[in-house]
Amino acid sequence: MDTLPSEILQIILYYLDKDQSSFAEVNITSKAFYYASLPHLYQAPSFSTIQRFRTFVQNLNKKAAKCVRIIDLSLTAHRWDAAMDTHILLLSQKAKNIEHLNLCLCHIAPGILYSCATEFKQLRYLSINGNRHVGDTTMSILIPLLKDIRELDIGATAIRDRSMVLIGKYCQKLESLDVSDCHRITEVGVRCVTTQLPHLSYLRIENCYNVVSMEGEFDGITVEEEGDWEDEEEEEEEEGEREARIDQNDSNNQLQSSLYYL
């Protein structure tokens, strides 16, 4: 098995279809498969529990750490109740190549977030949604380190317009910004990012009750804000009415056909 070309090994791994349990079994079959499967196994690990995440970080060796690109804890149960600072800090010291970091509803201390932004030089996506410890003071330290960020989710945090000004100043490559449920920002902060970020194409300001924008002000940017759910309900009602009319027409046609034969 160790004599097979790397191309053949990659074709075999392709058919495992991102099944982590299968990659884990293949990883221990031979030396050749160990090195071939390592990137597939560690590129985007998933964690159903906090304990599995902790075990992963503690046992992460140097070779495997270089392969880690995505850490997504958004589906990890009870993360909002767990103390995770120690293991997130350890992760930042081991895995330097992380590009996607989702810490939604994880209560991470500002100092740990600073360490992540410092160590993850290739970070392109960051979510700290729901972290109420994050405010303008934290963002004033964090934002200048995120100059290459493409997608930023800071919804449901305690930021104000000052943070929006910093985002507009430093995050010039930003394409997507989520500040939903940030009740302290206003249209002043929103204008800072919409006018100063040339690549911004998506902005979520749902439940930002202090944002009052003029009609057409954010043309060219997909803006998701409060009231979109009403549009969806209206579309569903219209679709239901269309289906009802079609059913009624079909019934009428069937009735006419029956009368014809009578």
Side-chain angles (χ1 to χ4, degrees), residues 48-109:
S48 58
T49 66
I50 290 297
Q51 186 54 47
R52 288 189 175 184
F53 171 70
R54 290 170 175 165
T55 302
F56 170 83
V57 175
Q58 289 172 348
N59 297 331
L60 193 63
N61 59 49
K62 291 183 178 180
K63 290 181 180 178
K66 291 180 180 180
C67 301
V68 180
R69 295 292 184 273
I70 299 173
I71 293 293
D72 189 345
L73 300 180
S74 62
L75 298 178
T76 305
H78 305 294
R79 62 192 181 281
W80 46 85
D81 294 325
M84 303 178 62
D85 285 354
T86 301
H87 292 84
I88 294 295
L89 178 61
L90 183 58
L91 178 69
S92 70
Q93 295 169 349
K94 287 186 172 183
K96 307 287 187 178
N97 297 326
I98 289 179
E99 301 172 359
H100 181 114
L101 182 63
N102 192 328
L103 301 176
C104 175
L105 293 181
C106 299
H107 298 295
I108 310 299

Side-chain angles (χ1 to χ4, degrees), residues 65-225:
K66 291 180 180 180
C67 301
V68 180
R69 295 292 184 273
I70 299 173
I71 293 293
D72 189 345
L73 300 180
S74 62
L75 298 178
T76 305
H78 305 294
R79 62 192 181 281
W80 46 85
D81 294 325
M84 303 178 62
D85 285 354
T86 301
H87 292 84
I88 294 295
L89 178 61
L90 183 58
L91 178 69
S92 70
Q93 295 169 349
K94 287 186 172 183
K96 307 287 187 178
N97 297 326
I98 289 179
E99 301 172 359
H100 181 114
L101 182 63
N102 192 328
L103 301 176
C104 175
L105 293 181
C106 299
H107 298 295
I108 310 299
I112 305 300
L113 294 176
Y114 173 79
S115 178
C116 291
T118 303
E119 299 295 338
F120 300 149
K121 304 294 186 182
Q122 301 180 40
L123 195 63
R124 299 296 180 266
Y125 174 95
L126 174 64
S127 173
I128 49 177
N129 191 299
N131 191 335
R132 293 295 181 180
H133 299 303
V134 174
D136 286 346
T137 302
T138 301
M139 296 301 284
S140 65
I141 301 174
L142 195 62
I143 289 300
L145 300 173
L146 300 176
K147 294 181 179 180
D148 291 324
I149 200 75
R150 301 297 196 277
E151 299 179 65
L152 182 61
D153 181 0
I154 49 176
T157 58
I159 67 167
R160 298 175 184 267
D161 287 341
R162 179 187 170 194
S163 296
M164 301 291 278
V165 172
L166 291 173
I167 293 172
K169 180 179 180 180
Y170 289 102
C171 303
Q172 289 296 301
K173 298 180 181 179
L174 193 66
E175 300 172 0
S176 173
L177 176 62
D178 187 340
V179 289
S180 56
D181 294 296
C182 292
H183 303 149
R184 300 180 182 184
I185 66 172
T186 70
E187 64 274 10
V188 175
V190 173
R191 289 191 189 108
C192 286
V193 297
T194 57
T195 58
Q196 297 182 32
L197 299 179
H199 303 291
L200 187 68
S201 59
Y202 176 82
L203 174 64
R204 187 179 183 190
I205 53 175
E206 183 180 1
N207 296 330
C208 296
Y209 303 116
N210 286 320
V211 176
V212 181
S213 59
M214 299 176 62
E215 185 176 354
E217 184 174 3
F218 304 135
D219 286 349
I221 299 175
T222 301
V223 179
E224 186 176 340
E225 55 186 326

